[in-house]
Amino acid sequence: MRRFSLWMKAHPAFGDSLIAGFLLLFDLGVAATAVDRGVSFSAFLAVTLLMLGPLPFRRHHPLGASYLILAGGFLQLFTHGGSNGIPVRGSDFALAVALYTLVAYVGRKAGLVYAAWLLAGTMLWAIFQIGEIQAVLLVFLVFVIFGFSWAMGEFIGARRAYQRELEQRLVLLETERDQQAKIAVGEERSRIARELHDVVAHAVSVMIVHADGAAYAIRTQPEMAENAVRTIAETGRLALTEMRRLLGVLRSEDAETQWAPQPDARGVVELAENTRAAGVPVRLEIAGDVENLPAGVGLSVYRIVQEALTNTIKHAGTGTSALVRIARTPEELRLEVVDNGFGTPHDVVKVSGGNGLIGMRERAAVLGGDFEAGPNPGGGWRVRATFPLAA
């Protein structure tokens, strides 16, 4: 039954055709009586076609169908002649259906115009085709029917408007949900890309430097080459472990993943030592307490220093030294990484694709900080970042 109801809702012309057929049965029942009273059968048939034929199309073409029905009503008024004509026939109810259709599907203005035509036709019908006593009762009954049609049209029209508004809101909510999902996916992809870049780029850069050193020293200084190879292996294992943890989180939320604490500003000391081991002297200056920084600030400081020192290793050239300054005040934390190499900004972007600089800038922006990177006036490259700490 529910399936049939849904099918009827999807095919409203079928239900309207049933209404037209039901009214047609009434018309056929009085056809012989109308002909006996002097009504031409061709006129009777023309009125039937005009008033019942448009009913199946009233929802798709409400104005056209309604005024065809009205034309049939006026044709009946002038062809069913005098007091000998039948006062009411089944197709007359199509006028009430047309009024309901205009109010529900077009609007009140169209309904008022149509109601005015119905009022005029009803008064003419009452004056010319029925007696005075009959007129009072029948006109009252006609007005009741038309009033009921108007009320039903108002109710259904308001319900349709409410449903349209709900549908529009649902569409907007779905669109907003999809947009938020796309934004969340984009942000997550950017975050994952930053983490992978920071982990892999630093580890690979250290491994390359040590591999080059081992290749040069393998014949003349085998002990130094052995230490370099050992450092390469250790750095590779650490990078592989961190990547496995990150990939374990991405694969499944249900999997039991081994969690490790995120690095923070205290890990900058280890970064400096690793960079010195790679052959780049690093001087570290820390002013203020960096142990109890907010987690996001501590991680960003670590990653920015890591990326800056990685760029120094890759692009600054031989004989380069670096300076890392971290200064904390009650209001903000200032970070600066400076080297005196001869690499150019073009080299940095050309080799790395600019992803490292983009990642550093994004980390600072997410926390409401400022970031700048560029050539140092005294030569080399300089990276500066500022993070607000005050509430």
Side-chain angles (χ1 to χ4, degrees):
M1 188 65 181
R2 179 174 176 82
R3 184 178 299 177
F4 177 73
S5 176
L6 293 174
W7 186 87
M8 287 282 291
K9 186 177 181 180
H11 302 82
F14 179 78
D16 293 333
S17 299
L18 291 180
I19 295 175
F22 183 73
L23 296 179
L24 178 62
L25 292 178
F26 276 91
D27 266 15
L28 294 178
V30 298
T33 304
V35 173
D36 291 341
R37 294 186 180 184
V39 178
S40 169
F41 181 75
S42 59
F44 187 92
L45 183 61
V47 170
T48 299
L49 292 177
L50 279 175
M51 299 187 74
L52 300 183
L55 281 180
F57 312 101
R58 67 183 182 88
R59 298 176 194 263
H60 297 291
H61 307 283
L63 278 173
S66 297
Y67 279 96
L68 280 176
I69 294 172
L70 183 65
F74 274 96
L75 180 63
Q76 176 190 2
L77 183 65
F78 293 109
T79 58
H80 284 39
S83 59
N84 292 327
I86 56 174
V88 178
R89 50 186 287 179
S91 55
D92 292 335
F93 289 97
L95 295 168
V97 175
L99 177 61
Y100 157 80
T101 301
L102 287 178
V103 176
Y105 291 88
V106 181
R108 292 177 180 172
K109 185 176 180 180
L112 284 173
V113 174
Y114 197 80
W117 283 106
L118 289 180
L119 176 62
T122 302
M123 298 307 297
L124 289 174
W125 171 70
I127 293 173
F128 294 111
Q129 296 206 9
I130 56 178
E132 294 180 359
I133 298 177
Q134 277 185 314
V136 175
L137 297 176
L138 289 176
V139 168
F140 175 76
L141 179 61
V142 168
F143 283 161
V144 169
I145 294 174
F146 288 160
F148 177 76
S149 300
W150 181 283
M152 286 296 297
E154 287 280 359
F155 174 76
I156 298 299
R159 185 178 177 181
R160 284 169 53 84
Y162 178 71
Q163 289 178 344
R164 284 196 300 269
E165 184 177 357
L166 284 181
E167 291 173 356
Q168 291 175 356
R169 290 186 179 181
L170 287 175
V171 170
L172 290 175
L173 287 174
E174 290 178 357
T175 303
E176 183 180 358
R177 181 196 62 191
D178 294 341
Q179 292 297 326
Q180 289 179 347
K182 290 180 180 178
I183 292 173
V185 169
E187 291 178 349
E188 188 66 12
R189 290 179 63 181
S190 298
R191 186 185 67 82
I192 294 170
R194 285 198 304 267
E195 295 297 327
L196 285 174
H197 177 272
D198 292 342
V199 171
V200 175
H202 178 75
V204 172
S205 298
V206 173
M207 291 164 66
I208 290 173
V209 170
H210 282 282
D212 290 340
Y216 284 113
I218 192 169
R219 298 183 184 277
T220 58
Q221 296 176 303
E223 294 181 357
M224 183 178 295
E226 183 181 355
N227 292 332
V229 172
R230 191 178 295 110
T231 302
I232 292 172
E234 182 179 354
T235 304
R237 290 190 188 95
L238 291 175
L240 184 60
T241 300
E242 197 163 350
M243 286 186 62
R244 281 176 175 170
R245 287 171 179 161
L246 181 58
L247 294 175
V249 175
L250 297 178
R251 284 196 184 101
S252 175
E253 294 181 357
D254 299 330
E256 295 183 1
T257 306
Q258 293 182 356
W259 297 94
Q262 290 277 30
D264 55 21
R266 292 173 292 184
V268 172
V269 177
E270 184 179 356
L271 286 176
E273 293 176 355
N274 292 338
T275 306
R276 293 189 194 103
V280 178
V282 177
R283 189 168 84 253
L284 181 61
E285 297 179 1
I286 299 178
D289 183 13
V290 295
E291 292 188 359
N292 58 349
L293 287 172
V297 175
L299 175 61
S300 296
V301 168
Y302 180 90
R303 293 303 188 193
I304 290 176
V305 173
Q306 183 184 49
E307 178 63 24
L309 293 179
T310 300
N311 289 336
T312 298
I313 294 173
K314 291 194 294 186
H315 310 300
T318 58
T320 301
S321 62
L323 170 63
V324 178
R325 290 196 186 98
I326 301 176
R328 177 179 181 176
T329 66
E331 292 79 18
E332 63 181 9
L333 183 137
R334 294 189 297 272
L335 169 65
E336 183 179 36
V337 181
V338 183
D339 66 56
N340 58 356
F342 54 83
T344 65
H346 177 73
D347 298 330
V348 176
V349 176
K350 181 178 179 181
V351 176
S352 66
N355 292 324
L357 297 177
I358 294 173
M360 289 189 285
R361 183 173 288 105
E362 288 177 348
R363 289 186 182 278
V366 165
L367 297 172
D370 298 322
F371 176 83
E372 61 178 274
N376 195 25
W381 187 260
R382 178 177 61 190
V383 172
R384 285 182 177 176
T386 304
F387 299 93
L389 298 178

